[in-house]
Structures are given as C-alpha cells and as structure tokens.
Amino acid sequence: MPGENLTRDEARERAALLSVDGYEVSLDLRSAVGEQDGDGPRTFRSVTTIRFRCAEPGASSFADLIAPSVTAVSLNGKDLDPGEVFDGSRILLEDLAADNELVVDAQCAYSRTGEGLHRFVDPEDGEVYLYTQYEPADSRRVFANFEQPDLKAPFRFEVRAPEGWTVWSNGAGRQTDGVWRFAETKPISTYITCVVAGPYHYVTDTYERTFEDGTRLEIPLGAMCRKGLARHFDADDVFLVTKQGLDFFHDHFDFPYPFGKYDQAFVPEYNLGAMENPGLVTFREEYIFRGKVTRAAYEGRANTILHEMAHMWFGDLVTMVWWDDLWLKESFADFMGAFANVGATRFEDAWITFANRRKAWAYRADQLPSTHPVTADIRDLQDAKLNFDGITYAKGASVLKQLVAYVGQDAFLEGARRYFKRHAYGNTRLADLLSVLEETSGRDMTAWSRSWLQTAGVNSLTPQVLLGADGRIEELAVVQEAPESHPELRPHRVAVGLYRRAEAGALERYARAETDVDGARTVVAELAGAEAPELVLVNDDDLTYCKTRFDATSLETLKAALGDLTDPLARALCWSALWNMTRDALLPARDFVDLVLRFAGRESQIGVVQMLHAWAESALVHYAAPAWRETGGRLLAEGALRELRAAEPGSEHQLAWARFFASVASGEGDLALLRGLLDGTEKVDGLEVDQELRWAFLEPLAAHGAAGEEVLAAELARDDTASGKRHQVRCLAARPSAAVKAQAWAQVVESDALSNALTEATIEGFARPSQRELTAPYAEKYFAAIERVWAQRSIQIGIHVVRGLFPSLQDSPETLAATDAWLAAHEDAAPALRRLVLEARDDLARALRGQACDAEAATA
C-alpha cells in the first residue's frame, strides 16, 4: 500500500482550501470483455472533469488517483506533463486559480480484490460482471477526485459498455448512441458513488406513498443479481422489506427519501455485507440463498437492507466531516436496522438477535488492546479501514439504544428529524448531533457523551443480594467494575429482574425495577422486601451496554435450569453473559459446552441456537484445556447428532443441528454418516441435503482425509458455479497434507493470482483445528512474511492474510513470545499492521487464560 495513505491533517488542509462544484466522469468499460491487450493489469479508460474553487488563488494542492498510467492532465486549459505531476496516487496541482477545471485522462485497473471496480468472470457461463466498492477511499481507483468525505459535490456519470450490457449508477440512466448517461446526483461524497455493469438479471417494482399534505412520492425500485443466481432470487421478499422500511423511515424521519430511484445489487466476491451507495445499494450475493436456510438468515438480510436504507439519511444525506465520526452513520444505521426490523417487518424478535449476536461482536472488540471510544481518533485512511469494527457498529448502536431509554424515543426521533433538515447534503461532527438532542430532550448531553462516546472499555455489573431473617431481600445492590486499562465507571439505565420457579418448573420473572446505576455500588431500593430470587438478571430487557455477571445463587440456578427460563430475551442475555464469563476465564470451557449440550436443544430462537453452536465450537477450539479437546469434541458430536435426530423433521432447528454436527464431526462413525447422507445410503427423516448442505458435509470429510481431490472435483462438476468454486477451494485447502498446506500458503502469501473471495476461501481451509501439527511450521513463516505482504498487497488482502493466517491454533506460550518478539522488533511497522497483530496476540493470550481455567476445573 505504498503512497496511498491520506492523513486527517492533509484532508483538513485541503477542505479549508478547496470547494468542489461538480464532477463529470466518463468510463469506457468495453475492455472488460475479450482478450486482454498486453501484459500487466487489465485496464479501462477513465476521463474525469472536476470543477472546483480555491480560497487562496496561487496555492497548491493535489487530486487523488490510483492508476497504472495517466494519459493526459490539464488544469485550467493548460496541459501538464503526467510524468511530472502524477506519482501513482496523487496529481500535483500548482498555482490554482479562484475557479478551476481539472481534466484527467487515465488508464485505471480493474480489481480482483473487491476494491475499486471489481471484475468477475462467472465460471458457470463465462459472463463478466462489474461493480464498484469504495469505502473508505477507493473511488480514486476508478476516477480522479478529492477523496475525502467532506468535499461533497454533484456527479454526472457516463459509461460505454459492451453490447448487450446494462449499466446502473446512483442516478437514473438511459442509453443513447451506445453510451449510458446518468442524471446528476445531489451533492454526495466520493466514497458512495457507484457503477454496476454487466448482464445482470434485473427485477423492478415501485414504492408509492402519499403524505399528509397530499404530496405524492413514487420511487422506482430495482433488484439485480448474476444470471446464474436468478432461479434462487426471491426478489419479492427483498421488495417487501424495502417497502416496509421506506414506510417506517418516512413515518419517523419526516424527510422524504432524497435520491430518486432505489436499486439494490447483489454482487459476487463482495468484501462487505453491503454498501449504502445512494440510489444503488450493493450487497454480497450470499444474501441470495441457494439452499434452505433458517429464519435467522432472512432476518439478517432484512436487517442489512434496513441498515443500508437508514444510511440514505444517516451517512448519505448527512455525512461525517472525517472518519473520526464514522459512528455518526454506522452506529445509527446499526441501531435503526434492528429498530426498523422490530417495528416494520415480520422479524419482531430482532432485539434478541441484537443482544445475542451484535453485542457479542462489540464486547469482544471493546476488550482488545485496540479498543477505542465510539468517537475514534482516526489519523489516516488505514486507521479508518480498520475502524469498521464492533465498536463503531454494535457498541455505538447499543449506546444509542440506551440513549433512547435515557431521553425518550420521541425526543430521540425529533432530534434526528432536526438533524436531517439542518444539515441536509452537508457534513457534521459529534457536536452537531448533541446540540439537536439537547434541544429536543432538554438534557445536558455533555456528561453522557463524555462517558459513553469519548471513553473506551466495557463495564461489568454484578448483583449483590442480602437476605433478611424472613428470607426476603433486605438489600439488593448492583456493583459496577471497570478494567484497569479503561477505569471509567459510567451511568447505566438498567432493569433488574428477579426470577424464580413457577408452576411446572418454569423460571419466570416476578419482580422488576428500573434504576440508574452510577458509581461503584448502587442500591436498588425498589426491590427491598421482595421474596428471595433464584436468579437475579442485571440488565434485564437489555437496556444498557455492559457485561452481566451473576451472584453464586443465580449461577447455580442457570447451571441447573437455564432451559426453564420462559422469556426468550432473558435466555439470550443469560447465554451472552455465560459466554463472556467463558472468554474471561471465569467459567471453564467444559462447563459452557455442558450447558449448550443440556439446554441448546430447548432453545426456541433459531438465531440464538446458531450462535450457541458457534460459541460451543469456539470454546472447544480455543478455551478448553488441550487434554480435554478430544473428549469435548466427541461430546459435542454426540450431542449434535442426538439433537439432529430429535428435531422436528424438516424444521430449521433440524437444519441448524445438521450443520453443527458437520462442523464438529471427527470420529469414523460421524464421517461415515456424513458420507452416507451424501450418497443417499443414510437418511435423517425430513432433512433435505441440498447443494449448500452437501458442501457443508464435504468440508469435514476433506479435512479428515475422507474426501480427496477427485471427490471434490466431482462435486464441483455437479455445482459448477461461482459458489461451488469457492466451496471447492476451501475444501481443497482443508485436506490434511503437508503438500496441500504448502500449496495453499504459496497461493495466498507468495502470489496475488487469487481473487479476494478465493484468497479468503483458501485461508479458511488452511487453518483447521484438527491439523495443528500440520500448520505448526507456518508460525515462523507468518512473522517473516506479514510486513512484506502488508507493503505489497491491497489493504483488504493484507487484512485477510494478517488476520486469517495468524498462528492462533499454535496456542502456546511460545507463540505468544514469538508475537511479542515481532512487535518489539517492528515498532516502526505500519500502525494498522501492528494493530492487527496486537489484536491477534490478545486473542491468543485470552485463549491461554481460558485453557488454564478449564484445566484447573478438571483437577478441582
């Protein structure tokens, strides 16, 4: 990534100097098909005209462009020598006038990493598909620009494309004389401009709404995917959620959708979940389901659709000045995704998913050495790239959920409405949001912001129960703790729930009190005199952001009767708390696995079930004592098979247990059953083994040496698609052979021939928990290679390699020491690279503490 960075100071200086009036971008994409001309990267012609003003005539600045070559540059009618003004990532602009016109004619490269203009060749039919992905700063790979969010401008795009293709951009388009021309956009940032082109399957619909004042809004809707996925594309459900979301946000935001049409493109080899390009939202095509999936998958897709839709207001209409305030869009969108899912769609339990899945992401991120305040210190673009994390998204959303409880939903939404109207098409900072919330709520937001947005770390809340002689509660207090590294004790609005067994053994809440926890110890006076509880749940109803702990009585109750809790949100919160305790070495991993084996089969919420499967496998792989892993693996496989056979035939629970069984299968009997389910000699009543499930069964067979290259080639012939190729590559890399591991390592580390998706698939196959000895030699190679990889590859591929190949399975003090040695010897390495290694080191150290806790339990 040489020379491609941009610092906050540079962006601030340029924003003070320049104002952009508009862009005209002309792309010739006819080179996307056919034979490539010459050696080097495949390129396309990009001609950009930028009209901009300079506050200090005579000053110098620069435009951004990453391209293999520049053909011509002119500034205010004067031709400049590209060799003198272009250094590979910047174009020097000297002696600027008050009003300027810059024209850049360049040859830009198609991408295979999902950054810039990505080119994908469908192995199924040979068709070529293109799409762009820019955030935070990759539009400069497609056209010359000023790549920072606060230099907004209107854009006009025109595109020449191969015959028979359709092209989409942010504005409505039409084709004349072989050229696609698109309506000028509203003022938007460079990173949310977008082009999608190719022979996509395209479906249309219309959203209509009449407002109270009689004005009518009509929004053309579109949804697209590769032709090979068209038979699986349930566009009707996508449009249903889209319309429900548009209704919901219009009801609550009082600001009509401002960007004309609303297309949604499901594209291949996508690095993210989705991207909020106004008028043309892009999604990873895995949201089109090729086989049977659970309700949780549909809920996840709906949440993403609504998250991106919320960005049309939070992020696109009103945009942060710099990436420091990335949370101003991502935290809001994450909150609004769940808020709208509950309020507008069939997924009324979305807050349970939020509590169980999204907050787990936040809790992990907030305990890493790289944790940061929600409002982060983003020094440059590499910092920005890594801050699309659990804090910016899920912690920020959790904090907003608490803010709604603090100021009230009406005041919160009125604040949002004023925010949109006051800052439409502009850029904002934290203070701009706080000012409108102070207006609408009448509360001083300064202290709240300082505690929740401007400090890092997660607090723990533990109940203390003192019973009187009569057996009733004499005093119930909540104890708040903070880690030494981030000692802030915060104000928490919490609900404290008391639970006990009722009829038929059900564990039900019989008392609840809301209170403000502030400081190290808070007495909940309202619960004095209540009957003695069997379970005290601090943060009942999930009002705040904290790690919940249990008193001794409550923990014993959960160990005996977690499955008897009748409230699904309370169960999800307890599971989350127990998992955090496991990660914190307060609960032995074998105890957590035992809880999953005894109670997960009784869990009604399918999203919680699937999360428990992931946590149980992680507990076994990372936190269990090495001596117990074989026993734990056998117990998990036996338990998964037992629940698979007991589940209702054809149900989503049966499907989830089948997938979990495959993920933990290791014994010969397990593998024989998987082979039988594949060849039809074994049956589980009601279980349909579709193509996606076939690959799920083949992966453990490959990893245990029971499915070789010929078997995997035959399966690819059966599923000769882009998805099938990714599955095959993953399975090939999973085979238990030193030669296989050497080949996979070389493909990822020593070559850049693989696309981003196949790189990721190879890494996933390379690192298998059952193959620790096979991958042990690569620990030393990892530390020798990562600085070179980071310097030579794109940041996205660098992230895949540095995170995915860290020797976490070599979980020993020796690996920890090797990591420390690398960090000590590379203090001057790129900060973003050091951050990734520090995070991996922290995960490893946490795993070793968990293993010690589990080993101690074995001897107790």
Side-chain angles (χ1 to χ4, degrees):
M1 292 151 270
E4 297 177 9
N5 212 349
L6 175 73
T7 69
R8 175 177 53 203
D9 289 342
E10 289 175 316
R12 186 179 293 141
E13 290 171 8
R14 188 164 60 175
L17 188 66
L18 306 183
S19 302
V20 188
D21 295 317
Y23 288 84
E24 294 177 6
V25 180
S26 177
L27 306 177
D28 189 342
L29 305 182
R30 290 174 292 182
S31 59
V33 299
E35 295 297 322
Q36 181 177 341
D37 293 332
D39 297 328
R42 183 185 289 260
T43 62
F44 59 93
R45 187 183 183 194
S46 169
V47 181
T48 306
T49 301
I50 314 175
R51 296 178 304 280
F52 64 99
R53 285 166 284 130
C54 177
E56 300 176 14
S60 298
S61 189
F62 61 93
D64 300 296
L65 176 69
I66 298 174
S69 65
V70 173
T71 307
V73 180
S74 71
L75 178 62
N76 299 329
K78 179 183 177 181
D79 291 336
L80 307 179
D81 183 349
E84 293 183 1
V85 299
F86 178 60
D87 67 1
S89 61
R90 295 183 179 187
I91 300 170
L92 177 63
L93 307 175
E94 295 182 306
D95 194 22
L96 292 171
D99 294 287
N100 301 273
E101 182 177 273
L102 173 67
V103 181
V104 180
D105 188 344
Q107 289 293 317
C108 295
Y110 294 101
S111 169
R112 298 196 69 222
T113 67
E115 300 152 295
L117 180 60
H118 189 80
R119 178 178 180 269
F120 174 79
V121 181
D122 193 332
E124 188 172 1
D125 54 18
E127 296 280 17
V128 176
Y129 294 89
L130 305 179
Y131 65 86
T132 59
Q133 171 56 36
Y134 297 149
E135 192 174 41
D138 285 318
S139 64
R140 56 191 171 147
R141 298 181 186 273
V142 177
F143 60 93
N145 58 57
F146 300 115
E147 186 81 282
Q148 57 191 78
D150 57 342
L151 288 178
K152 284 184 163 183
F155 287 81
R156 285 185 182 274
F157 285 91
E158 68 172 37
V159 179
R160 289 169 175 79
E163 185 175 351
W165 277 24
T166 304
V167 183
W168 295 264
S169 188
N170 303 89
R174 58 187 178 87
Q175 184 185 30
T176 55
D177 303 325
V179 180
W180 289 85
R181 294 182 174 85
F182 296 91
E184 184 175 75
T185 70
K186 299 288 189 179
I188 59 175
S189 301
T190 54
Y191 75 91
I192 50 176
T193 59
C194 187
V195 172
V196 173
Y200 284 88
H201 169 71
Y202 185 58
V203 186
T204 61
D205 203 337
T206 303
Y207 170 83
E208 298 178 349
R209 182 184 179 96
T210 301
F211 294 98
E212 291 183 359
D213 62 2
T215 59
R216 187 170 175 272
L217 177 66
E218 183 174 304
I219 303 173
L221 305 179
M224 69 197 81
C225 66
R226 290 185 294 114
K227 290 190 294 185
L229 284 175
R231 64 187 182 274
H232 304 294
F233 192 21
D234 52 340
D236 287 347
D237 192 52
V238 171
F239 286 138
L240 172 64
V241 174
T242 301
K243 292 176 182 180
Q244 291 170 330
L246 287 169
D247 273 340
F248 185 85
F249 291 130
H250 282 126
D251 287 343
H252 288 86
F253 289 169
D254 191 31
F255 196 114
Y257 171 72
F259 296 111
K261 68 181 181 68
Y262 200 84
D263 283 322
Q264 297 174 96
F266 295 80
V267 297
E269 298 191 322
Y270 203 55
N271 288 323
L272 310 177
M275 184 64 206
E276 68 267 18
N277 316 301
L280 182 52
V281 181
T282 42
F283 298 82
R284 64 187 302 115
E285 68 179 15
E286 286 78 3
Y287 281 121
I288 297 173
F289 307 121
R290 299 197 318 148
K292 183 178 179 180
V293 296
T294 66
R295 177 183 171 89
Y298 289 100
E299 179 187 325
R301 183 175 70 182
N303 184 281
T304 303
I305 289 172
L306 298 169
H307 175 116
E308 303 308 322
M309 187 180 293
H311 273 312
M312 299 300 118
W313 291 267
F314 286 107
D316 294 358
L317 177 67
V318 184
T319 312
M320 68 274 158
V321 170
W322 177 248
W323 302 102
D324 291 347
D325 282 315
L326 174 63
W327 81 281
L328 279 174
K329 70 185 189 75
E330 293 302 347
S331 298
F332 272 89
D334 217 46
F335 169 79
M336 285 293 171
F339 185 54
N341 233 359
V342 171
T345 76
R346 63 188 183 274
F347 303 109
E348 297 176 353
D349 292 331
W351 284 126
I352 296 177
T353 305
F354 181 84
N356 191 243
R357 183 178 295 269
R358 299 300 283 182
K359 291 180 84 168
W361 181 29
Y363 294 142
R364 175 188 176 271
D366 213 7
Q367 296 174 86
L368 290 170
S370 57
T371 187
H372 56 86
V374 175
T375 55
D377 179 24
I378 304 298
R379 298 160 296 184
D380 55 29
L381 292 177
Q382 288 194 16
D383 278 357
K385 183 74 172 179
L386 294 185
N387 263 47
F388 289 83
D389 59 14
I391 295 170
T392 301
Y393 283 72
K395 179 181 180 179
S398 303
V399 168
L400 290 176
K401 188 171 186 279
Q402 181 187 260
L403 178 63
V404 172
Y406 178 61
V407 303
Q409 180 173 304
D410 291 344
F412 177 78
L413 290 172
E414 177 59 27
R417 290 188 281 268
R418 295 187 190 184
Y419 181 72
F420 300 143
K421 291 171 183 175
R422 195 169 298 173
H423 302 289
Y425 307 110
N427 297 85
T428 58
R429 296 181 174 87
L430 169 62
D432 299 306
L433 177 67
L434 296 182
S435 67
V436 295
L437 289 174
E438 286 183 346
E439 291 173 16
T440 58
S441 70
R443 290 179 178 266
D444 179 3
M445 301 301 299
T446 304
W448 178 87
S449 172
R450 184 172 58 249
S451 291
W452 283 105
L453 302 180
Q454 295 166 287
T455 60
V458 56
N459 300 130
S460 298
L461 301 183
T462 306
Q464 285 184 344
V465 182
L466 176 63
L467 299 179
D470 60 357
R472 293 178 175 270
I473 293 176
E474 183 174 307
E475 181 182 85
L476 191 153
V478 177
V479 175
Q480 179 177 191
E481 297 175 287
E484 291 182 8
S485 57
H486 299 90
E488 178 85 10
L489 297 181
R490 299 176 178 86
H492 297 263
R493 182 68 179 176
V494 301
V496 178
L498 306 183
Y499 292 77
R500 65 183 179 195
R501 296 174 196 274
E503 295 180 5
L507 195 57
E508 297 181 345
R509 187 169 70 190
Y510 65 93
R512 175 187 183 274
E514 279 195 30
T515 191
D516 290 314
V517 171
D518 199 359
R521 191 173 188 273
T522 303
V523 174
V524 187
E526 298 92 323
L527 295 176
E531 293 185 16
E534 294 179 69
L535 168 67
V536 180
L537 182 55
V538 176
N539 197 29
D540 207 354
D541 298 324
D542 197 35
L543 299 185
T544 193
Y545 171 81
C546 71
K547 289 195 295 186
T548 298
R549 303 299 197 206
F550 300 107
D551 64 298
T553 299
S554 296
L555 184 58
E556 289 306 310
T557 297
L558 291 174
K559 287 181 177 181
L562 175 53
D564 295 332
L565 261 174
T566 56
D567 181 75
L569 178 56
R571 283 197 311 273
L573 292 171
C574 288
W575 279 118
S576 176
L578 292 165
W579 176 239
N580 279 320
M581 290 174 65
T582 305
R583 293 187 72 249
D584 291 344
L586 298 174
L587 181 72
R590 65 190 66 200
D591 288 4
F592 185 83
V593 168
D594 178 65
L595 286 164
V596 171
L597 289 172
R598 289 192 292 122
F599 299 125
R602 298 172 60 183
E603 177 56 56
S604 61
Q605 297 290 316
I606 190 62
V608 174
V609 172
Q610 291 175 285
M611 196 77 248
L612 292 177
H613 290 164
W615 287 345
E617 189 172 2
S618 182
L620 178 68
V621 171
H622 297 296
Y623 302 110
W628 188 77
R629 284 177 186 147
E630 184 177 350
T631 299
R634 176 177 52 78
L635 291 172
L636 276 179
E638 291 173 354
L641 181 57
R642 183 172 59 250
E643 295 296 345
L644 167 61
R645 295 193 184 282
E648 180 183 345
S651 67
E652 60 183 358
H653 282 70
Q654 183 189 58
L655 175 62
W657 283 106
R659 287 186 168 276
F660 182 52
F661 171 68
S663 72
V664 296
S666 60
E668 182 52 41
D670 301 338
L671 301 178
L673 175 57
L674 293 177
R675 282 195 298 267
L677 289 170
L678 284 169
D679 63 25
T681 60
E682 293 278 2
K683 297 285 185 182
V684 174
D685 186 24
L687 183 67
E688 178 186 352
V689 185
D690 58 31
Q691 186 59 62
E692 285 295 294
L693 198 54
R694 289 184 64 84
W695 284 114
F697 290 172
L698 273 167
E699 188 170 339
L701 290 171
H704 290 282
E709 190 169 2
E710 291 184 2
V711 171
L712 298 175
E715 195 67 27
L716 181 62
R718 176 191 178 107
D719 182 26
D720 192 11
T721 64
S723 299
K725 182 63 177 177
R726 289 195 295 273
H727 287 306
Q728 186 219 21
V729 165
R730 184 183 304 108
C731 290
L732 285 171
R735 291 172 296 158
S737 156
V740 165
K741 300 307 175 185
Q743 181 184 34
W745 180 271
Q747 288 174 330
V748 170
V749 176
E750 307 301 336
S751 169
D752 63 357
L754 294 180
S755 70
N756 57 322
L758 296 185
T759 295
E760 195 170 7
T762 302
I763 290 171
E764 289 170 355
F766 177 88
R768 304 291 305 187
S770 61
Q771 299 168 2
R772 295 172 194 263
E773 292 183 4
L774 267 180
T775 55
Y778 293 92
E780 184 177 350
K781 295 179 181 181
Y782 170 88
F783 291 112
I786 54 175
E787 194 166 28
R788 170 177 54 83
V789 169
W790 191 262
Q792 294 178 355
R793 310 287 282 279
S794 76
I795 191 169
Q796 187 63 54
I797 297 301
I799 291 171
H800 284 324
V801 171
V802 175
R803 277 185 177 154
L805 292 180
F806 181 83
S808 60
L809 294 176
Q810 312 310 316
D811 43 3
S812 67
E814 289 76 20
T815 305
L816 197 64
T819 309
D820 289 338
W822 186 91
L823 289 165
H826 295 81
E827 292 183 357
D828 295 330
L833 171 59
R834 284 182 57 83
R835 169 177 169 167
L836 291 171
V837 176
L838 279 165
E839 289 177 346
R841 184 217 181 272
D842 190 77
D843 282 337
L844 176 57
R846 181 180 290 273
L848 293 174
R849 293 193 297 272
Q851 291 171 25
C853 170
D854 193 58
E856 185 179 342
T859 60

